[in-house]
Structure formats: structure tokens, C-alpha cells
Amino acid sequence: MRPGHLRAEHVGVAVADRDLVRDVVLDVTPGEVVALTGPNGAGKSTLLRTFYRARRPTSGRVLLDGEDIWRMSGRRLARRLSAVVQEPPGEFELTVYEVVAMGRSPYKRAFQGDDAADRRIIMDALDALDVTALAQAPFDRLSGGEKQRVLIARALAQRTGTMVLDEPTNHLDLRHQLDVLRLVRGLGVTAVIALHDLNLAAAFCDRICVMRAGQVVADGPPAQVLTPALLTEVYQVAADVHAHPRTGVPQISLHPDQESPS
Ligand code: ADP
Ligand code: MG
């Protein structure tokens, strides 16, 4: 599971006459964890879709270890890059175990079953996401947060060096939000994670990349990116940024009583 080098080279996505993503340049070095943030509709999911090949850029290229991902076979890409997407698919009759086992399919021939090594990897992924007790439950009957954890377990079972996660903490309670980010951070893989919680982004990510209206407007270490001026400009909120008393990581306090300063 060698961490990948993910590069977006002037990636654009245009639909009809609108640019959903415009000229995005992003270089994520092996093992780096990057948070992707920005207001609703900024283009984060659209950009991430170009990384896991759910959408073809209308301009520019996405490279993994120097290779254009659109020139790779689906299997080859799936062995190197996994994605946790925002809209969980309905998995009908599948159990949680079976959903996580799907993570092994890029390594299989048609109809080839799971061997002992696969089962170990699946069990480890279930355990890492705290869903072992749900293994035999029907996926469709889980809560939003449980589904989310199962889908992360599936990506984990894929054992890829690069992960793309679109708001993976969305439905999760506080403990599981921390668990998921700690886990991804601890894997040593390259990761791009769309995240709204900037305090979590600052705590767990090497860099924060901020998008607005399809473009990257800031990209750098948390302490450099998270400034009151940026929060006002991008989100139209008033906020203080201070160092976390224990870790020194920048943390944001919103001013709930203040009108948006735009
Ligand atoms: P984010 O994830 O940052 O909230 P998205 O990437 O989902 O933003 O969407 C960016 C913009 O592109 C939004 O205004 C959304 O409505 C629009 N959009 C997304 N997908 C399509 C599509 N297939 N066709 C047209 N517009 C789209
Ligand atoms: Mg989105």
C-alpha cells in the first residue's frame, strides 16, 4: 500500500456554459492529507469526482504517480485509489459484511471467492470502523452514520495508497468523527478529504485547500489558511482564530451574535 502522488493539472469541469470547476491545480504528495473545504456549491464534490473517475475533466488532467487516470483500467485504478462518496448507494439485499467485501473485488477474477487473507482484511476493516457487531445486518437498514462507517470500511478493505473522501464525517457523532480522521491520518496514505469542520481539518490535515465558485482560493498549512480575513471573505462569517490550548493547532470560534460582515 504505497502512498500515491495525486496531481490535478489545470482541471476544469464545464457543463453547458457554466464552469463547475475552473483551472484547479493541486499537488498532493505521497502520504499527505489534504482537507478540501469551501461553501456549499463551491465545486468540491465535482473536483473529487474527477479524482475517482466518476467525471471526466473537460480540461486538464488528473495524474496518479505521473499517469493519467483516464488511461488506466478501472481495476488498476481501484487497486490504487479508493473513494468514499457522499450519496451512499442503495445496496439492496447486501449485508454489511458483503458491502465491505466489495472492497476486495479489484483483486479478484470473476466469481472468485474471498480467501483467508481477504477475510482477515475485511474483518480488520469492520473492526477499524467499529461496525463488527453489524456485520450480518442488512446495509439498507442502518442509520446514516452507520452506513457511512461501513462505506469507509469498504474503502479501507480496498487497501489503496490513495483515498478520496467526500464529507466522510457528515453523519457521524463526535467520537466517530475523530475515529475516522485519526484512522485515515494513521494509515500513512495520501488522502483528499472534503470537510466542512475546519477545526477538524486543522487538527488532522497537513494542508487545507479552500474552494469558492469552482476555483481554489487558498491552499496551505492550516495556520496559514485559517485567518479571520479568509473566513469573512469565503464564508461571510465573523470569527476568531486562536491556538488550541493543548495542541497549538488553529481553532475557530464563530461570532454567533454578529451580522455577516460582507
Ligand atoms: P460542493 O461539493 O462544493 O458543495 P458540487 O461540486 O456538488 O459542490 O457542485 C458545484 C456546483 O455544480 C453546484 O452549483 C451544483 O449545483 C453544480 N452541479 C453539480 N453537478 C452538476 C451537473 N451534473 N450539472 C450541472 N450542475 C451541476
Ligand atoms: Mg459536495
Side-chain angles (χ1 to χ4, degrees), residues 15-16 18-21 37-49 55 86-87 166-167 194 196 211 214:
V15 205
R18 194 173 153 218
D19 287 328
L20 307 185
V21 169
T37 191
N40 297 137
K44 303 178 295 295
S45 296
T46 305
L47 178 66
L48 293 182
R49 280 186 198 110
R55 189 182 256 287
Q86 228 179 337
E87 307 81 20
D166 198 350
E167 300 194 26
H196 281 300
M211 286 185 77

Side-chain angles (χ1 to χ4, degrees), residues 198 222-242 250-255 261:
L198 297 172
Q224 194 178 305
V225 168
L226 297 181
T227 61
L230 177 115
L231 295 168
T232 298
E233 192 194 321
V234 173
Y235 292 99
Q236 281 93 50
V237 294
D240 289 314
V241 180
H242 46 88
Q251 299 286 285
I252 292 163
S253 303
L254 298 173
H255 303 177

Side-chain angles (χ1 to χ4, degrees), residues 135-199:
Q136 296 314 318
F139 177 80
D140 287 337
R141 239 179 273 163
L142 305 183
S143 77
E146 289 166 341
K147 279 185 181 161
Q148 189 69 354
R149 276 152 50 210
V150 171
L151 295 172
I152 297 166
R154 178 172 72 177
L156 197 61
Q158 217 172 314
R159 294 283 172 111
T160 60
T162 305
M163 298 181 82
V164 173
L165 304 103
D166 198 350
E167 300 194 26
T169 56
N170 220 1
H171 301 282
L172 304 189
D173 61 52
L174 289 176
R175 181 196 140 195
H176 288 115
Q177 289 182 29
L178 290 176
D179 280 355
V180 161
L181 293 173
R182 210 181 279 130
L183 172 78
V184 173
R185 174 85 264 184
L187 291 172
V189 300
T190 308
V192 182
I193 313 176
L195 267 185
H196 281 300
D197 188 324
L198 297 172
N199 290 332

Side-chain angles (χ1 to χ4, degrees), residues 104 116-126 156-157 159:
R104 301 307 298 156
D118 291 316
R119 284 193 291 275
R120 182 77 261 153
I121 289 170
I122 296 162
M123 295 306 287
D124 285 350
L126 289 164
L156 197 61
R159 294 283 172 111

